[in-house]
Amino acid sequence: MDWTRMRLEEDGRWYAYKDWYARKWSDTKSWAYARRRALVIWLVIVLLLLGYLFQFTTVFHPSRLYSISYQEQVARHNSLVSQKIWQILLPMPKKLKSKPVAFAEPSAWMQMNPGYTYTLFGTEGAVAFLQSRFPRRQDYLETFNELRNPGLKSDFLRYMVLYAEGGVYSDLDTRPEKPIDEWVPTDYETVARLVVGIEYDSLGGDIGKDYTYPVQFAQWTIAAAPEHSVFVNMTERCIRGLHELSEKYSTSLGEINSKDDEVLKATGPVAWTETVFEGIQVQAPELQSISDLSGMKEPTLYGDILVLPINGFGSGLPHSGSARWFTPKEALTTHHSESSWRINS
Ligand SMILES: *[C@@H]1O[C@H](CO)[C@@H](O)[C@H](O)[C@H]1NC(C)=O
């Protein structure tokens, strides 16, 4: 290549160079050296590009290759949590369609938990489920049908599903980090019938503006044995709360403003936190206030309710002492984004 390039140098004069990369080296090093150097630069660029493309293949996703022998799996299931995984995807009303729903690999749930059944509820499946499992509770079905906001519907449905069947409910934007059979510490396997994770902990400081209590339980992931009474109280509470709000604002359930804090509180984590804590206090009256759970380091059992510290379900959060930059070994699931429908509805 015998072309030249002109370049204005610091002394204000124009100089000719054979190649741009030869500029620095031409006095002291040979042209061959400069060419080799260019070759190395190109190689690095090509390798980086290939590396980038490879991330879309399975090579870099070990969870997609997760496998375990069936024998081993069967032998390991000792906890009371049913071998069932539930997720919910309800259609978004057209007017709310502003953000896509975030998915984080539902298949990882199946692959990491052989022996578990997996159900992704849509509206019809949910209605059929409520009809067959709660035939005498028409109000459950009616409330579910009347609600229009998919976030509120999904909140409400998860408690009834876990009551009737047990298992693990998890939002679609979560990723499992450990097989469900390893969630409950061995010592608690024959006792724990409800597993809840802390999602917020003020750690003794001021309570964050989006929170009501110094400690809040997540309801994006819940594990349970069938028929835990906390879910009865929670379901009743949702129905009561929603109807009170629709009366207060003289609207139908379908029209109550689901952006409203009060509405989110009726079915979401605040109501869940209060209901679970009530259940904990029934079994562990020595607990005075929910802030007694603050700063928890190890999974702790209260009666038959197992509470996981922040990193159980809530690693990667920018608060609450959560491990932010890496996934710690005690992480059971990670939550990847806030439910998109909650914000825009
Ligand atoms: C459910 O609510 C009832 C009535 O408020 C209460 O007596 C009971 O202890 C609650 N059960 C649990 C598990 O919290």
Side-chain angles (χ1 to χ4, degrees):
M1 240 194 273
D2 252 354
W3 47 274
T4 53
R5 181 167 283 195
M6 300 299 290
R7 193 180 182 101
L8 187 62
E9 285 301 346
E10 280 160 6
D11 60 4
R13 296 165 63 183
W14 286 88
Y15 287 80
Y17 291 103
K18 265 207 156 154
D19 286 314
W20 62 269
Y21 49 78
R23 186 189 150 203
K24 267 212 181 99
W25 302 94
S26 54
D27 326 330
T28 52
K29 310 269 163 97
S30 70
W31 284 108
Y33 184 94
R35 296 233 180 260
R36 275 206 303 276
R37 202 178 128 144
L39 197 69
V40 168
I41 292 172
W42 278 110
L43 260 171
V44 169
I45 291 173
V46 168
L47 282 176
L48 285 176
L49 201 70
L50 281 179
Y52 175 73
L53 292 176
F54 266 128
Q55 70 180 320
F56 300 114
T57 75
T58 53
V59 179
F60 291 93
H61 293 279
S63 77
R64 293 205 185 138
L65 304 173
Y66 192 94
S67 73
I68 188 169
S69 86
Y70 182 67
Q71 285 306 315
E72 200 183 325
Q73 164 65 23
V74 166
R76 279 192 320 159
H77 179 74
N78 295 320
S79 83
L80 301 171
V81 175
S82 322
Q83 290 187 291
K84 293 169 186 176
I85 298 162
W86 310 98
Q87 297 198 296
I88 300 174
L89 179 60
L90 300 171
M92 192 80 74
K94 280 222 175 61
K95 68 182 174 69
L96 298 183
K97 245 184 219 154
S98 45
K99 259 198 205 168
V101 175
F103 272 89
E105 300 191 66
S107 64
W109 283 98
M110 289 175 247
Q111 282 172 334
M112 208 177 262
N113 299 288
Y116 282 64
T117 58
Y118 175 91
T119 307
L120 177 58
F121 272 116
T123 308
E124 273 180 43
V127 167
F129 180 88
L130 294 177
Q131 276 168 340
S132 77
R133 298 309 309 264
F134 299 99
R136 278 189 290 276
R137 295 303 304 256
Q138 278 306 305
D139 54 334
Y140 287 8
L141 183 62
E142 279 161 17
T143 305
F144 180 80
N145 282 337
E146 266 183 65
L147 285 172
R148 281 222 305 267
N149 178 274
L152 297 180
K153 278 174 113 85
S154 140
D155 275 350
F156 183 57
L157 179 62
R158 73 191 64 181
Y159 309 124
M160 292 181 286
V161 169
L162 288 174
Y163 176 71
E165 298 277 341
V168 170
Y169 167 80
S170 198
D171 279 359
L172 279 168
D173 55 0
T174 60
R175 247 191 76 85
E177 301 291 341
K178 256 193 198 168
I180 296 167
D181 287 343
E182 292 171 21
W183 286 15
V184 179
T186 321
D187 290 350
Y188 304 148
E189 275 182 334
T190 54
V191 193
R193 295 186 60 247
L194 175 63
V195 182
V196 296
I198 291 176
E199 71 168 339
Y200 174 76
D201 186 343
S202 68
L203 296 169
D206 291 340
I207 300 172
K209 71 171 169 47
D210 297 330
Y211 299 92
T212 306
Y213 295 105
V215 171
Q216 181 165 295
F217 297 127
Q219 38 89 274
W220 73 60
T221 304
I222 307 170
E227 300 187 359
H228 199 287
S229 55
V230 157
F231 295 114
V232 182
N233 283 16
M234 189 63 195
T235 306
E236 301 295 340
R237 185 193 164 122
C238 288
I239 294 182
R240 207 172 51 236
L242 290 168
H243 283 97
E244 275 167 16
L245 286 172
S246 86
E247 268 163 41
K248 181 170 164 191
Y249 296 111
S250 332
T251 53
S252 70
L253 282 190
E255 273 149 8
I256 49 178
N257 179 2
S258 48
K259 225 185 311 191
D260 199 324
D261 258 10
E262 270 181 300
V263 178
L264 291 178
K265 277 179 186 161
T267 63
V270 172
W272 175 240
T273 299
E274 287 173 3
T275 308
V276 169
F277 191 67
E278 187 190 352
I280 288 177
Q281 276 191 313
V282 171
Q283 304 191 54
E286 69 277 9
L287 273 185
Q288 297 297 309
S289 104
I290 194 153
S291 55
D292 294 351
L293 303 178
S294 182
M296 179 183 286
K297 291 279 177 283
E298 296 291 325
T300 310
L301 192 69
Y302 300 98
D304 66 357
I305 303 179
L306 181 68
V307 180
L308 305 172
I310 184 82
N311 283 334
F313 294 155
S315 76
L317 294 173
H319 52 70
S320 310
S322 156
R324 181 133 195 225
W325 305 112
F326 60 98
T327 305
K329 66 174 183 353
E330 68 269 26
L332 309 180
T333 67
T334 43
H335 193 214
H336 286 263
S337 65
E338 294 302 318
S339 307
S340 34
W341 52 44
R342 241 186 244 299
I343 297 152
N344 291 295
S345 43

